[in-house]
Amino acid sequence: MADPGWLGACQSLKGVVLDMCGVLYDSGEGGGVAIPGSVEAVRKLKASDLQLRFCTNETQATREKFVAKLQRMGFDISVSEVFSPAPAAVAVLKERGLRPHLLVYDDLLPEFDSVNKTDPNCVVIADAAENFSYHNLNEAFRVLIGLEKPVLFSLGQGRYYKETDGLKLDVGVYMKALEYACDLEAEVIGKPSPMFFQAVLDDMGIRPQEALMIGDDLVNDVGGAQRCGMKGVQVRTGKYRPSDERHPTVTADGTVDNLAQAVDMILKQRGH
């Protein structure tokens, strides 16, 4: 049952931030499938007086390809509403004059076209799926270990995610391997980084206490949002596990069956 405190906060709500994979849809063969009720839930939010943004650690495609896939599923969504780690990483690389060695999914490479990649002085890893081979990980390790001051960027730090055929290892697992091998700490770009959430809030022009995050990942979605001062609600879809509701360090402000239920509760509380 959702915490009444979360429902009470809906009165002062000005913006809603949605995770995507596991909340809107489950990824998989053919691009994945929409979670029942999620297309309509997004439509209801867009018809309300609330601002809506989408915050994802998706790194297997450019934002344009990713959004086009969701539009084909029926979602009313545009690229400008989506915040993902790759564009944020490109901005950081340019700002700091860094040249990355990339260990990412092939479809994400175009996001880095504008960045100089000769003679790398840092490593960027993302959810590279099958590209996480021993050879490729060892190559990234060699770049890092050969630098006087190694810099590793990880686009997210998730442990796993859900596709239509089951759970899959995420980038955080491989990030930890490189951290251990090189005795360094990665800089995470994406959820749960407070800077990532703050960029979404800045775009909406609202304060953390005026925003609500809805996600399937208790630690990175809910916990990350809470550390930024937002309320965080977890859905029982995607990577949700019953043990999440007994987590030792992160407690969601509310837990709901799916996005459709969360949206109906929000709008009812606001008198819609």
Side-chain angles (χ1 to χ4, degrees), residues 89-99 121-122 149-153 187 189 195:
V90 168
V92 171
L93 292 168
K94 289 180 175 179
E95 183 184 318
R96 290 164 58 174
L98 292 170
R99 304 178 301 277
N121 57 4
C122 70
K149 293 182 179 178
V151 178
L152 171 63
F153 294 104
E187 296 183 41
I189 299 177
M195 286 175 59

Side-chain angles (χ1 to χ4, degrees), residues 221-242:
D221 293 339
V222 173
Q226 288 173 333
R227 284 196 299 278
C228 196
M230 301 163 62
K231 294 284 187 187
V233 170
Q234 186 180 25
V235 290
R236 295 188 182 98
T237 55
K239 68 191 294 182
Y240 163 85
R241 314 282 280 174

Side-chain angles (χ1 to χ4, degrees), residues 26-33 130 163-165 168:
D26 283 323
S27 62
E29 289 297 317
V33 294
E130 289 77 14
E163 289 198 342
T164 49
D165 62 347
K168 303 288 178 77

Side-chain angles (χ1 to χ4, degrees), residues 17 55 191-194 197-198 201 208-209 211-215 217-233 250 253:
V17 183
C55 188
K191 298 174 293 185
S193 164
F197 283 106
Q198 190 59 52
L201 293 170
Q209 58 268 36
L212 174 72
M213 174 77 202
I214 301 175
D217 186 322
L218 183 70
V219 174
N220 292 313
D221 293 339
V222 173
Q226 288 173 333
R227 284 196 299 278
C228 196
M230 301 163 62
K231 294 284 187 187
V233 170
V250 181
D253 292 293

Side-chain angles (χ1 to χ4, degrees), residues 94 98-100 112-121:
K94 289 180 175 179
L98 292 170
R99 304 178 301 277
F112 294 89
D113 282 350
S114 64
V115 176
N116 181 4
K117 294 176 281 291
T118 58
D119 189 22
N121 57 4

